[in-house]
Amino acid sequence: MNAKVISGIVVLFIGLFVFFSSMFIVSEREQAIVVQFGEPKDVIREPGLHFKIPGLQQVIYLDKRILSLDIRPQEVLASDQRRILVDSFARYRISDPLKRFQAARDERTAARLLEDAMESTVRQVLANEVMGSIVSGERAALMRKISELTNQRAASFGLEVVDVRLKRVDLPQQNSEAIFARMETERQREAEEKRASGRRDAVKIKAEADRRVAELVADAERQSQTIRGEADGQAVKIFADAYGKDKDFFEFYRTMQAYRKSLGKDDTTLVLSPDSEFFKLFVDDGK
């Protein structure tokens, strides 16, 4: 093999190496910037096969997909001077690769820029709202406003925010403990007031029940006296009628009643004077 053939093979290999080194592929999920000595020379948004100057130019790939950024929790002062803890995140994409490259050479720096912008926007928006509005149903409107303002700032470094979410809006730990202690004191005060009210109601109910019982007892006594009086009147009338019909039988009946009352028990001892009317009844009975 002569020298010309060898030289030709070497040149061919070098040519192939240079040719393949000049090619690069951009996928559908990517976009790229061709950089020469640190300066951007071309922006490639379309996927496919592309070329660069080998050895002089480099290709920096940027993600075309929607990315997520979790914002670190921060304390925000609401318009009513209440401190709240806000935890949020954003979804964004690279809308201008050239601006993104000029503002931040790597993904971490770009994320920090967006995070700073969003933190500033969150403080700005929530500082004009009272805490009640922030934790209530107005949160969706606040997130839209935060997204719009963050977008205005993110556009300067080639990013577009497509969504912002406030994951958690809460009181700081020290505020939560103070509020919990105050709520506990208020609940205890309300419970004591209800117990005192219950005791007052119990006294009233007991007094009303006692009054009602006294009235019922008095009414029962009155009715019983009335019935007893009527019964006594009927008994007197019955006695009078019986006496008028048969005097001897009536006296005999009264004598039997007296015997039963006096001698009704086994251990009864009766001491009578011979001259007493009651003794005469025994004597007369013995005749």
Side-chain angles (χ1 to χ4, degrees), residues 219-229:
D219 185 62
E221 288 288 342
R222 185 170 55 255
Q223 291 182 9
S224 67
Q225 289 178 0
T226 300
I227 295 172
R228 187 179 300 111

Side-chain angles (χ1 to χ4, degrees), residues 264-279:
K265 299 180 179 179
D266 296 338
D267 57 347
T268 301
T269 301
L270 187 65
V271 179
L272 299 174
S273 171
D275 298 331
S276 65
E277 293 296 330
F278 193 65
F279 183 75

Side-chain angles (χ1 to χ4, degrees), residues 26 48 162 164:
V26 177
V162 297
V164 167

Side-chain angles (χ1 to χ4, degrees), residues 8-258:
I9 294 174
V10 172
V11 171
L12 178 61
F13 276 104
I14 292 175
L16 290 174
F17 175 77
V18 172
F19 177 73
F20 286 112
S21 297
S22 66
M23 293 191 304
F24 64 94
I25 296 175
V26 177
S27 70
E28 294 181 348
R29 298 175 301 175
E30 298 171 325
Q31 47 195 344
I33 297 178
V34 179
V35 178
Q36 182 174 335
F37 301 120
E39 295 297 327
K41 295 298 183 182
D42 192 14
V43 176
I44 301 172
R45 294 174 178 270
E46 298 299 326
L49 180 63
H50 300 272
F51 295 92
K52 63 181 179 64
I53 300 175
L56 294 179
Q57 295 181 337
Q58 295 178 331
V59 180
I60 298 177
Y61 295 96
L62 302 175
D63 210 319
K64 191 186 282 186
R65 297 171 298 180
I66 294 179
L67 306 173
S68 296
L69 176 63
D70 195 6
I71 310 298
R72 57 181 175 267
Q74 59 174 332
E75 281 193 14
V76 177
L77 188 63
S79 62
D80 54 357
Q81 303 304 308
R82 305 281 295 273
R83 289 192 174 277
I84 54 178
L85 188 64
V86 180
D87 191 2
S88 58
F89 77 93
R91 293 169 61 82
Y92 69 100
R93 62 185 169 210
I94 301 174
S95 58
D96 191 331
L98 181 58
K99 285 186 178 180
R100 152 69 175 77
F101 176 77
Q102 292 172 336
R105 296 300 175 98
D106 55 61
E107 183 66 28
R108 179 178 299 180
T109 304
R112 190 174 65 251
L113 288 175
L114 181 59
E115 186 174 12
D116 292 342
M118 185 161 171
E119 286 181 349
S120 175
T121 304
V122 168
R123 286 195 299 271
Q124 175 186 345
V125 172
L126 299 188
N128 297 321
E129 303 291 336
V130 297
M131 180 180 170
S133 300
I134 297 172
V135 299
S136 67
E138 298 182 16
R139 186 182 298 187
L142 295 176
M143 289 189 294
R144 286 195 297 272
K145 192 172 183 179
I146 292 171
S147 180
E148 292 173 1
L149 294 177
T150 305
N151 244 333
Q152 295 174 7
R153 298 178 179 179
S156 61
F157 36 88
L159 300 180
E160 178 188 3
V161 176
V162 297
D163 190 21
V164 167
R165 286 284 182 266
L166 300 180
K167 293 191 296 183
R168 186 168 62 95
V169 178
D170 203 354
L171 294 171
Q173 183 65 25
Q174 61 274 21
N175 291 13
S176 299
E177 293 175 355
I179 289 177
F180 177 77
R182 187 169 65 251
M183 291 176 63
E184 184 179 20
T185 302
E186 291 176 354
R187 297 292 89 78
Q188 289 177 348
R189 180 180 55 78
E190 292 177 0
E192 182 57 35
E193 290 178 355
K194 290 186 180 299
R195 281 194 288 268
S197 176
R199 287 193 289 269
R200 288 194 298 270
D201 292 343
V203 171
K204 290 180 181 178
I205 293 172
K206 186 174 185 305
E208 177 64 20
D210 292 341
R211 184 189 64 78
R212 183 62 179 162
V213 169
E215 289 179 354
L216 291 175
V217 171
D219 185 62
E221 288 288 342
R222 185 170 55 255
Q223 291 182 9
S224 67
Q225 289 178 0
T226 300
I227 295 172
R228 187 179 300 111
E230 293 175 354
D232 290 343
Q234 291 180 1
V236 171
K237 183 176 180 303
I238 291 171
F239 278 125
D241 293 343
Y243 184 79
K245 290 180 179 179
D246 190 340
K247 181 179 177 181
D248 293 336
F249 176 76
F250 184 77
E251 289 180 353
F252 173 75
Y253 176 75
R254 293 295 304 269
T255 300
M256 292 298 105
Q257 291 290 327

